[in-house]
Amino acid sequence: NQWLLMETPWPGFAILGLYLMFVLKWGPKWMENRKPIKIDNFIKVYNLAQVFVCLFLFIEGWRLGYLRGYSFLCQPVDYSDDEVPLKIARRCHIYFLVKVLDLMDTVFFVLRKKQNQVSFLHVYHHTGMVMLTWSGVKWFAGGHGVFMGFLNSFIHVVMYFYYFLTSVSDKYKGNVWWKKHITQLQIIQFGLIFLQWFVLVFQPNCAFPKWPLFVLLPQNLFMFMLFLDFYYHAYIKKPKPAQPKPVTPSVEESVPVLKSKINIHTD
């Protein structure tokens, strides 16, 4: 309860409320008659910071969890005050704070007048991650849930490294190869996370609480389907070629044709 934003859910709800109002209403309205704000240098630092923080969380998940015998199939939460469980809980809290920081991605879109990137998928994903990670830290910081943050941190290392590359070199902007494979990684991520939660359904003796499954399984399946749909429309489905519009001849072009049809001479 003493950790930042963890005592009650209300500060988190307030942040999400302000976030949604800004990226969906206030921000676009405020930027409507303004030029995009130049924040390129700040974004470079932001992306690089995300890479290092996410890499730290990924390494710590491996070091404190899976190298010490964490199970991918059933891992109860250790609620003791021992050193390692407390460190894992602390890392879970940092992961939650990173998800709050991730909201800035959308804010940057708005400030740079890239409102087309503020999609339902983007906003839903960022909002949902803040809510889910807060709940995870509050009630089961560690155990089976570590895998989600562990894998997601790795994906974000790759993703924010790509964002950093695009911010320092124009040759990476619009690079379909990077975008396509990052989306593939995200789809694989949600599939693996879903399966890792799903195995708990068949393990009644596993001491990890089962009630989160009622939220986590539908949520991850929904995200899997949303990203799959995005991937299909962005990289598989070929847009239909535009039909050429009939060209209406000008008056000058029409006159000779009309003359020839009615056999009129203008000598």
Side-chain angles (χ1 to χ4, degrees), residues 21-34:
M21 289 299 295
F22 180 82
V23 302
L24 298 177
K25 186 176 181 180
W26 297 337
K29 184 67 175 177
W30 183 61
M31 292 298 299
E32 188 175 5
N33 298 315
R34 289 178 169 85

Side-chain angles (χ1 to χ4, degrees), residues 168-180:
V168 297
S169 176
D170 290 339
K171 72 177 183 179
Y172 292 103
K173 291 181 179 179
N175 190 305
V176 176
W177 187 93
W178 273 92
K179 292 181 177 180
K180 181 178 180 179

Side-chain angles (χ1 to χ4, degrees), residues 208-261:
F208 190 88
K210 301 297 190 299
W211 63 265
L213 300 181
F214 291 100
V215 175
L216 292 168
L217 285 176
Q219 163 68 10
N220 277 281
L221 183 60
F222 185 49
M223 291 304 303
F224 177 82
M225 297 304 297
L226 284 177
F227 271 85
L228 199 62
D229 179 72
F230 169 79
Y231 183 84
Y232 172 75
H233 286 92
Y235 304 112
I236 297 178
K237 184 180 180 181
K238 295 181 179 179
K240 295 181 180 179
Q243 295 294 329
K245 295 182 179 180
V247 178
T248 303
S250 63
V251 174
E252 291 78 4
E253 292 172 330
S254 302
V255 169
V257 177
L258 291 172
K259 288 178 179 179
S260 64
K261 284 186 176 181

Side-chain angles (χ1 to χ4, degrees), residues 89-203:
R90 286 283 187 183
R91 301 322 184 251
C92 292
H93 181 236
I94 294 173
Y95 178 72
F96 158 68
L97 295 178
V98 170
K99 297 303 106 180
V100 176
L101 181 64
D102 287 352
L103 300 177
M104 292 302 298
D105 292 359
T106 327
V107 174
F108 294 152
F109 287 153
V110 175
L111 296 179
R112 299 168 77 192
K113 299 195 76 168
K114 295 186 176 182
Q115 198 66 26
N116 62 306
Q117 297 189 41
V118 185
S119 63
F120 169 78
L121 171 59
H122 177 91
V123 175
Y124 176 83
H125 175 55
H126 282 275
T127 304
M129 285 301 293
V130 172
M131 297 173 68
L132 286 175
T133 52
W134 184 90
S135 302
V137 176
K138 185 71 173 179
W139 290 297
F140 44 94
H144 207 73
V146 166
F147 180 75
M148 181 177 75
F150 170 73
L151 183 57
N152 183 249
S153 294
F154 171 74
I155 301 298
H156 277 218
V157 170
V158 178
M159 187 175 72
Y160 281 103
F161 181 66
Y162 165 68
Y163 291 162
F164 175 73
L165 290 178
T166 62
S167 67
V168 297
S169 176
D170 290 339
K171 72 177 183 179
Y172 292 103
K173 291 181 179 179
N175 190 305
V176 176
W177 187 93
W178 273 92
K179 292 181 177 180
K180 181 178 180 179
H181 286 83
I182 288 174
T183 306
Q184 289 174 346
L185 285 176
Q186 290 173 313
I187 292 170
I188 293 170
Q189 166 196 220
F190 286 112
L192 290 175
I193 292 172
F194 176 84
L195 290 175
Q196 198 248 357
W197 286 116
F198 188 65
V199 296
L200 289 182
V201 176
F202 303 99
Q203 300 193 69

Side-chain angles (χ1 to χ4, degrees), residues 32-51:
E32 188 175 5
N33 298 315
R34 289 178 169 85
K35 293 182 179 180
I37 298 176
K38 299 291 185 181
I39 50 176
D40 294 355
N41 290 331
F42 181 80
I43 290 178
K44 290 176 186 177
V45 176
Y46 170 82
N47 289 333
L48 203 56
Q50 283 274 14
V51 170

